[in-house]
Structure formats: structure tokens, C-alpha cells
Amino acid sequence: MGGYPLLHITEQDLTHYNTLGLKSRAHAFLRLHDLSMLDALSDTAARYPGVVILGGGSNVVLAPHIDSLVVHMETRGAQLVDDDHDARIVEVQAGEPWHHFVATCMRQGWAGLENLALIPGTVGAAPIQNIGAYGVEQDEYFHSLVAWDIRYGRRVEMGPGDCLFGYRDSFFKRVEPGRWLIVAVRYRLPHDWRPRLDYPDLARNATIALAGAAVTPQQVFDAVCEIRRSKLPDPAELANVGSFFKNPVVDAETYRSLRDLHPGIVAYPVEDGARYKLAAGWLIERSGWKGRRLGPVGMHERQSLVLVNHGGATARDIQVLADVVRAEVATRFGVHLEQEPVELGAPAPEQA
């Protein structure tokens, strides 16, 4: 590896590197804090059975042991790279915590991402998951990204069309795991800012309602933070990964049938009413799982969409509860729930 920086690879306890607080150990762990390490990473990765890219650990279910090379992204920083009469282009490093980035945008007067405040995780994970909240998804402001192809050791620029964004989905979730490392992401933030207040909780917020047409990006940011804190448990206090299941999307005919059987069902039209997004939390709550536990894990007492670890849980515990909840929702409503967090590493075999 002539000319490459020396990579310091160690074993690492990952318990504090995932917000579910699962006990997990990486046999090969690399802190990537400098982009000059990328060539050496590609050369080194070939010696391992795979590569796992780990950011904030807020959307993963970790197995007890991970034999792949675990790369922890630690690059930081955001800067304005272009500014014209229509919009600003802001580039942010993949290891930057997402909420810190959105807060920086507010301080700089770069509006647009305020509805996505307080989402845990890093910027590099945002396009992979195509994160969204309170009526906004990150792809609406996405400009481009820089990725490193670990297999071929090359830098690649990708635009919206390349990323194949969908609901909590992207190109990166459909291809060879661990091949692509997102290095930096650029967002296009328009000068002509307009608040996005269609989401019911935002529309009902007292500060937003009082401000009316004069509402500011900072007020929207503050309201989103207030709503999220009132509904979602802080992972530092109660281990979780936020929403554990995606909101299922069904066609209009299926929605109408469900509405006839369950008049109170919560749903939102998408694609001009051709399809409907069902509130997974409502389905789970009506299936009797709000606040219920199964061993060391359970669904949260205030938000039934959030699976929490009360202490000492393993990936197997998570899997068992998720399967039970999915089965009961399917039995009651005929709807399949899809898990949001990604499972990394092989789960431990069941004890005989």
C-alpha cells in the first residue's frame, strides 16, 4: 500500500454506537476521519468478508458479532459552495450529525430543511434512507452527492436521478451492501422560502398558528423540535431507533375497504389520491401493542410506532417482537408492515 496512510483497525464494542443500545462487537473497526484514507480503505476492504458503513447508528439493528469491516464515518463540516439568484447550494460532510447540520442552516439563514429537525443520525445516511418528517422528504431539496465506490476505488458524483429516491428508499438500499460510501451531500435551498405546514401537528402548533403568514423558518424548526420531543423518546434515555416500521402504502380500493371496516383509520392520500399512506402507528395501536412489552423490548407508551429497548435486549429480541407485531397487524387489517432499520451482521442462532 505504498503512499497510503496507515489505517488503524481495531476491535470495538458497538453498544454505544447504536441508538437501540444492542450489545454488539466489531472484529474490525475503522474510524474514517480523513478523505485521504479512501484509497487505502478500498485496498484493505478486500481482505474482509464485507463492509458495514456506520454513521450515527440510529437506523440499524446490530447483530452480537460483526465480522465485516465496520467503517465509522467521522468527517464533519458544512459550507456554502454556490449562491445565485434562485438558491444556495450547501455541501456537508457525511459524518456531520443531521440535526446539527439543520441547526447550522437555521443560524446561517439557509431555510428549507427545518421540517427535518431533530432527526437522529448523520448526513451520509440521509439520502440512503431518504429521510422525511412532517410533510417533507430530503430528496425535495437534494442537489447531488459524492460517493466512493469501495470495490473499484473511485470517486463518483450522483444526482437525483442516479439515487432513485422513493419512500424511505434509494439506490443505495438496492445494491451490493457496503460497496458505496457517501462522502458528502449537497442540498439546494431556495431563496424564495415557503413554509411547509400541511402536517396536522404543525398546523395545530400554537406558535405556528399565532404567527400565521409571518411564520419564520426558525419558528418552524422550534415547533418541529417541540413536537418530536413530546412524542418520541430520547435514545439517550430510552434506547430506540425512532419509527421502526414504514407507513404502508395501499391502492385507493384497498383503502376504501379498510375505511369501511375501520372508520377511524388514519391515512393520507398520495399520488393525487391514487394511493393512500396508512399510519402504521395507528394500525399497531389498534392491534393492542401500544405500551406493551415482550421481554426486554416493547412498543412505546406514547408512540406505538417506536420499538424500544428497556435494557439488555439482543437483535433476536428485536426480531421476535417485530415479527409478532407484523403478524397481528396483518391478521387484523390484512396489511404488511415493512421494517425501517437495517439489520447488520448475522443474528445469533436460537438456543436449543
Side-chain angles (χ1 to χ4, degrees):
M1 298 195 306
Y4 292 166
L6 181 65
L7 299 184
H8 184 57
I9 297 174
T10 63
E11 287 197 27
Q12 180 65 51
D13 180 354
L14 299 179
T15 306
H16 298 295
Y17 285 83
N18 73 104
T19 62
L20 257 177
L22 300 180
K23 290 185 180 298
S24 178
R25 189 162 194 84
H27 298 289
F29 181 83
L30 170 66
R31 301 176 188 276
L32 199 151
H33 51 78
D34 186 337
L35 298 185
S36 68
M37 302 165 69
L38 292 175
D39 283 312
L41 169 62
S42 287
D43 186 74
T44 302
R47 303 203 298 267
Y48 293 90
V51 177
V52 168
I53 311 301
L54 188 61
S58 60
N59 196 50
V60 295
V61 178
L62 298 184
H65 300 280
I66 300 179
D67 295 323
S68 298
L69 174 63
V70 177
V71 179
H72 188 243
M73 289 300 294
E74 298 184 0
T75 54
R76 301 286 295 267
Q79 62 178 333
L80 185 67
V81 295
D82 195 13
D83 191 354
D84 59 27
H85 65 283
D86 289 324
R88 306 175 180 88
I89 307 298
V90 180
E91 181 177 282
V92 56
Q93 297 303 303
E96 183 78 8
W98 175 263
H99 177 66
H100 186 268
F101 166 54
V102 177
T104 297
C105 289
M106 293 300 98
R107 289 194 300 272
Q108 296 292 336
W110 305 335
L113 300 175
E114 51 283 336
N115 290 53
L116 304 180
L118 215 61
I119 293 178
T122 56
V123 168
I128 296 173
Q129 180 72 357
N130 192 24
I131 60 173
Y134 299 101
V136 173
E137 293 188 345
Q138 72 86 40
D139 67 314
E140 298 175 53
Y141 294 94
F142 176 87
H143 176 274
S144 58
L145 61 76
V146 179
W148 182 258
D149 184 342
I150 294 175
R151 177 194 282 182
Y152 292 107
R154 60 180 180 174
R155 181 181 185 273
V156 179
E157 298 254 352
M158 304 179 75
D162 303 306
C163 293
L164 303 177
F165 291 124
Y167 172 55
R168 302 296 177 270
D169 194 20
S170 71
F171 162 83
F172 301 99
K173 296 181 78 171
R174 308 177 199 176
V175 296
E176 177 186 342
R179 176 176 170 180
W180 296 94
L181 172 68
I182 293 177
V183 172
V185 188
R186 303 185 191 105
Y187 288 97
R188 183 181 185 277
L189 306 178
H191 289 296
D192 182 20
W193 176 78
R194 297 180 183 181
R196 302 284 296 278
L197 306 175
D198 295 337
Y199 200 86
D201 283 349
L202 271 178
R204 290 193 293 263
N205 179 267
T207 300
I208 299 294
L210 187 62
V215 68
T216 66
Q218 185 65 52
Q219 287 174 318
V220 177
F221 174 91
D222 291 341
V224 168
C225 290
E226 178 185 333
I227 294 166
R228 288 186 71 92
R229 288 185 177 117
S230 70
K231 284 189 165 189
L232 303 173
D234 183 346
E237 298 175 2
L238 182 59
N240 72 90
V241 287
S243 299
F244 195 84
F245 298 103
K246 298 179 182 180
N247 290 318
V249 179
V250 299
D251 59 44
E253 183 179 354
T254 300
Y255 164 67
R256 286 192 289 268
S257 297
L258 284 168
R259 183 189 59 193
D260 291 342
L261 291 169
H262 310 279
I265 193 168
V266 177
Y268 307 94
V270 294
E271 300 175 10
D272 295 326
R275 306 179 80 195
Y276 282 78
K277 184 182 294 184
L278 308 179
W282 188 92
L283 299 174
I284 294 167
E285 181 175 349
R286 293 308 189 277
S287 297
W289 273 98
K290 185 175 184 179
R292 279 180 62 188
R293 291 178 61 160
L294 185 61
V297 295
M299 307 310 293
H300 193 250
E301 61 186 9
R302 293 200 310 272
Q303 173 50 272
S304 54
L305 189 54
V306 177
L307 189 155
V308 298
N309 174 8
H310 292 283
T314 66
R316 178 70 64 189
D317 296 317
I318 302 295
Q319 182 184 59
V320 169
L321 176 59
D323 287 346
V324 169
V325 171
R326 266 195 292 257
E328 295 200 14
V329 168
T331 297
R332 183 172 175 81
F333 298 101
V335 174
H336 173 71
L337 294 182
E338 185 179 348
Q339 179 174 315
E340 274 201 35
V342 177
E343 295 181 0
L344 298 180
E350 288 189 85
Q351 299 295 313

